[in-house]
Every structure is written in structure tokens, then in C-alpha cells.
Amino acid sequence: MQIQKKGGQVTLFVIIAILLIAAIGSFYYLSKTPKKTPVKFQPIEDYFVSCMQEKLKEASVIAGEQAGYIELPKFESGSEYAPFSSQFNFFGSAIPFWWYVSGNNIIKKQIPSTTTIEKQFANFLKGKISECDFSTFEEQGYTITKSNEAKVTVKIDDM
């Protein structure tokens, strides 16, 4: 008789555990489900995404011209005996070397990490959000409020 009673208790705990796992799984799934933009606001979202894509292209060109940097690293000049610097001046544009010999003859490297590039892209895009012009939508009767508290996250994936 005792064995059947313990078996009933175990069954009850198994059922409770399954219900808890199902509830937690449902909550996680629903919280991660992307929210759909209402149809009447879709043109505004499309414009904003397009604007940010243009700004992202702009950032990519800058980073491509500056050895992966949008914000250049600190310039380190050479010396009379080792006339090398941390950057190459190419027709007025500074291009940082990833490897260079400092003025005191020490080999240094300044390869931008993925994290550094992501942060620089995010800062660039955050500064460019205000350049997106929503005036045509405001003329159509939409009220658009711009916030200075924009959160921009950039993630570079491996290919």
C-alpha cells in the first residue's frame, strides 16, 4: 500500500514540473516573438529602416577607408631617429597602421577588435538618427517624437 501512495506523489510532482516547464517556455517564446508594426505605420518604419541602411553604408565606407576605424586611434608621431608614425597620411586622409614601429623603436599593433568596431558603428548610427527627415510624414498628419535616448546595438556576425 505504501508503494502506491509514493507513486502517486511522484506523479503529482512530475505533472507540476511539466506544467512549470510549459509555462516558462510559453513566457520565453512570447517575450521573444517580434512585435508587428501596425499597417498604418509601416511606411514610417520602412523609411526609417532605409535611412539607417544608408547611414550604415556611410559608416562602412568610412571604416573601409580608415583601416576598420570610424573614430581614429590616438596619433603617435615618430622621432628623428625612427621617422615612423601610427598613421599614414594619404592625400590628407589619415589611415592607421595595424602594425607600426613607434618613435622609441617599439613594435606596436592597433588592430581594431570586433567589439571596438561594433561600438564605433553604434555610436556613429546613434549620432546620425537625427538626420532622418520625417517631415513628409508630419505633413500627412503623423506626430513623430524624436528621443535623445536612442539605443543602438550593432552585432558583427562571422561569415
Side-chain angles (χ1 to χ4, degrees):
M1 199 77 171
Q2 293 282 353
I3 295 173
Q4 290 176 343
K5 193 174 186 182
K6 287 184 181 178
Q9 289 176 343
V10 170
T11 304
L12 179 65
F13 286 118
V14 169
I15 291 171
I16 291 173
I18 290 172
L19 289 174
L20 278 173
I21 290 171
I24 292 170
S26 297
F27 175 76
Y28 180 77
Y29 175 76
L30 293 174
S31 67
K32 295 294 182 183
T33 304
K35 309 294 186 268
K36 297 278 184 181
T37 303
V39 175
K40 70 178 185 176
F41 298 124
Q42 193 64 47
I44 298 170
E45 181 184 21
D46 292 343
Y47 167 75
F48 181 69
V49 168
S50 173
C51 180
M52 285 293 96
Q53 286 175 339
E54 288 299 317
K55 302 305 177 190
L56 185 59
K57 287 178 187 174
E58 187 180 330
S60 298
V61 168
I62 293 169
E65 292 173 348
Q66 298 183 159
Y69 289 97
I70 292 176
E71 303 160 21
L72 294 172
K74 184 179 175 200
F75 177 78
E76 185 178 331
S77 64
S79 68
E80 185 178 321
Y81 301 105
F84 306 105
S85 68
S86 63
Q87 297 176 4
F88 176 68
N89 184 350
F90 184 73
F91 295 108
S93 295
I95 302 172
F97 289 117
W98 283 3
W99 296 83
Y100 66 97
V101 179
S102 68
N104 55 358
N105 206 29
I106 296 175
I107 297 175
K108 293 189 175 183
K109 73 175 189 174
Q110 57 181 7
I111 302 171
S113 67
T114 303
T115 305
T116 299
I117 296 170
E118 289 171 345
K119 286 179 184 176
Q120 287 189 3
F121 268 72
N123 289 338
F124 182 86
L125 292 174
K126 187 174 181 179
K128 296 291 185 172
I129 287 175
S130 63
E131 293 181 11
C132 294
D133 182 20
F134 293 95
S135 61
T136 54
F137 298 107
E138 291 169 340
E139 290 170 3
Q140 295 173 12
Y142 290 99
T143 302
I144 298 175
T145 306
K146 296 179 183 176
S147 172
N148 293 334
E149 299 298 319
K151 180 181 177 187
V152 179
T153 305
V154 175
K155 176 71 177 137
I156 298 174
D157 290 330
D158 293 332
M159 287 193 183

